[in-house]
């Protein structure tokens, strides 16, 4: 496994030059574009790591998975999907287009419109502090904190998300206070994780929501099924279809450079590579996952061997 990860890293590095760090949140542009790391945690809790797997970076959109789990557990399926669909949008993560033109509801919880809607459900139900504690638990990482600099940087540059939030309010979808919902959404995006923490969350989801060692249930089984399915169809934004063909592992990316990948019943994979492709996915990360999927036979529709 260690050799496979080192090889994945070498393959990924070839693509870094073609990507760029996100800069629309100025603080993210300060990341080292050449950082790259991959961590695998297996169901027996064997941990393999190559490259920059202990570097802290912000979780960004991967927090949408955690917030959706919390919302499903607190509000239930019917309430969560009363004002939100579960279809891929085919548009950029921060698009307003279809929300205004084609649909009254956000397409899914993995794009910003959906995640701000989710934050709206949660703002009166759960404190940010409790959400942070839950993130530490499901990632099995007590070191997760909110990155104040990234939070402030995004808050100072969130006109687009604010526009989405007010559009949601105008359509009667976001019923909670707009600014409070936006604030909770951006706080969750600012959680600092590592490739290891993402692999930790990955193995919890891969094994049905229980702590792999203690067997303690961390995530409701039904919520696990729902988030993995939505990750498969919508987790990589408008790159989700091609990613499903090439990689075939339910995954979620963030513009901080992280990817969470959940290889069913086998392993959690966490990636850090802040150079992004045009769709906002880690450019090297996608190539590394494609390699891992082929080499370890992780595609969910892999041919029998
Ligand atoms: N905080 C980011 C935003 O709202 C998250 C987006 C992402 O990771 N794709 O724009």
């Amino acid at each position: 496994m260690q050799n496979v990860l080192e090889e994945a890293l070498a393959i990924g590095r070839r693509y870094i030059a073609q990507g760029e760090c996100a800069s629309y949140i100025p603080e993210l542009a300060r990341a080292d574009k050449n950082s790259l790391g991959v961590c695998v945690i297996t169901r027996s809790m064997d941990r393999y790591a190559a490259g920059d797997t202990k570097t802290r970076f912000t979780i960004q959109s991967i927090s949408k998975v955690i917030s959706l789990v919390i919302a499903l557990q607190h509000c239930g399926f019917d309430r969560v999907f009363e004002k939100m669909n579960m279809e891929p949008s085919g548009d950029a993560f921060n698009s307003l287009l279809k929300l205004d033109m084609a649909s009254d509801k956000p397409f899914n919880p993995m794009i910003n419109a959906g995640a701000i809607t989710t934050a709206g459900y949660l703002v009166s139900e759960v404190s940010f502090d409790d959400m942070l504690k839950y993130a530490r638990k499901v990632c099995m990482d007590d070191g997760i904190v909110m990155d104040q600099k990234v939070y402030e940087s995004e808050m100072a540059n969130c006109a687009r998300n604010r526009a989405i939030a007010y559009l949601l309010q105008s359509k009667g979808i976001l019923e909670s206070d707009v600014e409070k919902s936006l604030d909770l959404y951006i706080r969750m995006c600012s959680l600092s994780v590592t490739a290891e923490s993402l692999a930790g969350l990955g193995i919890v989801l891969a094994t049905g929501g229980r702590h792999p060692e203690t067997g303690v249930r961390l995530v409701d089984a039904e919520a696990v099924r729902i988030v993995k399915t939505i990750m498969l169809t919508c987790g990589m934004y408008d790159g989700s279809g091609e990613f499903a063909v090439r990689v075939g592992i339910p995954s979620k990316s963030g513009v901080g450079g992280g990817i969470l990948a959940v290889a069913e019943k086998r392993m959690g994979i966490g990636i850090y590579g802040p150079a992004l492709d045009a769709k906002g996915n880690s450019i090297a990360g996608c190539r590394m996952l494609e390699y891992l999927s082929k080499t370890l036979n992780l595609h969910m529709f892999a041919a029998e061997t």
Side-chain angles (χ1 to χ4, degrees), residues 116-135:
I116 294 169
T117 303
T118 308
Y121 295 143
L122 291 176
V123 85
S124 53
E125 296 267 337
V126 203
S127 67
F128 168 69
D129 226 41
D130 284 345
M131 290 178 70
L132 167 61
K133 283 187 192 134
Y134 188 70

Side-chain angles (χ1 to χ4, degrees), residues 24-25 59-62 64 93-94 112 154 161 185 189 237 253-256 280:
Y24 74 101
I25 299 171
I59 189 168
Q60 296 299 335
S61 269
I62 305 166
K64 291 167 173 140
F93 62 86
N94 57 0
N112 292 11
E154 181 160 7
N161 283 329
Y185 166 72
C189 288
Y237 318 119
S253 63
V255 289

Side-chain angles (χ1 to χ4, degrees), residues 2-296:
Q2 190 62 40
N3 291 343
V4 172
L5 293 193
E6 301 290 350
E7 184 58 26
L9 207 62
I11 290 171
R13 284 201 200 289
R14 294 182 206 144
Y15 295 90
I16 290 178
Q18 295 169 36
E20 289 301 334
C21 294
S23 56
Y24 74 101
I25 299 171
E27 195 61 27
L28 295 184
R30 293 161 49 92
D32 175 1
K33 177 178 167 172
N34 290 312
S35 301
L36 196 62
V38 53
C39 177
V40 161
I41 302 182
T42 65
R43 56 184 309 161
S44 48
M45 284 296 272
D46 293 321
R47 191 180 293 253
Y48 303 88
D52 305 306
T53 54
K54 293 196 184 291
T55 307
R56 294 250 162 220
F57 59 94
T58 51
I59 189 168
Q60 296 299 335
S61 269
I62 305 166
S63 65
K64 291 167 173 140
V65 171
I66 299 174
S67 298
L68 178 59
V69 161
I70 298 174
L72 286 165
Q73 291 176 167
H74 270 81
C75 314
F77 179 89
D78 292 344
R79 167 94 179 93
V80 169
F81 290 104
E82 187 189 325
K83 303 227 169 193
M84 184 152 60
N85 292 324
M86 42 190 119
E87 299 299 341
S89 72
D91 286 335
F93 62 86
N94 57 0
S95 176
L96 292 128
L97 272 180
K98 285 195 182 132
L99 181 62
D100 200 26
M101 310 280 287
S103 160
D104 274 346
K105 296 181 186 176
F107 266 67
N108 67 69
M110 298 289 121
I111 55 171
N112 292 11
I116 294 169
T117 303
T118 308
Y121 295 143
L122 291 176
V123 85
S124 53
E125 296 267 337
V126 203
S127 67
F128 168 69
D129 226 41
D130 284 345
M131 290 178 70
L132 167 61
K133 283 187 192 134
Y134 188 70
R136 288 180 181 148
K137 201 160 85 172
V138 286
C139 294
M140 298 180 287
D141 175 4
D142 287 336
I144 298 177
V145 292
M146 191 189 81
D147 184 321
Q148 188 69 28
K149 279 195 176 147
V150 175
Y151 165 72
E152 283 170 13
S153 181
E154 181 160 7
M155 278 312 269
N157 294 275
C158 70
R160 203 175 171 86
N161 283 329
R162 183 166 277 127
I164 291 174
Y166 279 99
L167 186 58
L168 289 166
Q169 185 191 44
S170 77
K171 288 169 173 282
I173 292 165
L174 185 56
E175 293 171 308
S176 305
D177 183 89
V178 173
E179 293 299 327
K180 282 188 187 150
S181 306
L182 195 61
D183 186 74
L184 180 61
Y185 166 72
I186 292 176
R187 278 179 191 274
M188 286 302 288
C189 288
S190 306
L191 298 184
S192 66
V193 292
T194 62
E196 282 194 24
S197 2
L198 297 179
L201 174 56
I203 191 60
V204 169
L205 295 176
T207 52
R210 288 183 190 274
H211 189 291
E213 269 169 345
T214 62
V216 170
R217 179 157 295 287
L218 302 177
V219 188
D220 173 68
E222 180 78 353
V224 173
R225 182 181 62 80
I226 295 165
V227 293
K228 282 191 290 204
T229 315
I230 296 180
M231 283 167 67
L232 178 69
T233 53
C234 311
M236 306 297 281
Y237 318 119
D238 44 336
S240 298
E242 181 173 345
F243 187 86
V245 171
R246 289 186 185 276
V247 180
I249 307 173
S251 300
K252 181 76 203 86
S253 63
V255 289
I259 305 180
L260 152 74
V262 182
E264 188 64 5
K265 300 205 169 42
R266 292 187 57 189
M267 61 186 73
I269 307 173
I271 298 238
Y272 175 51
L276 308 179
D277 65 17
K279 298 189 167 171
N281 297 320
S282 171
I283 195 162
C286 289
R287 299 290 180 157
M288 292 202 291
L289 282 170
E290 189 175 347
Y291 172 79
L292 292 178
S293 174
K294 284 203 179 104
T295 311
L296 303 172

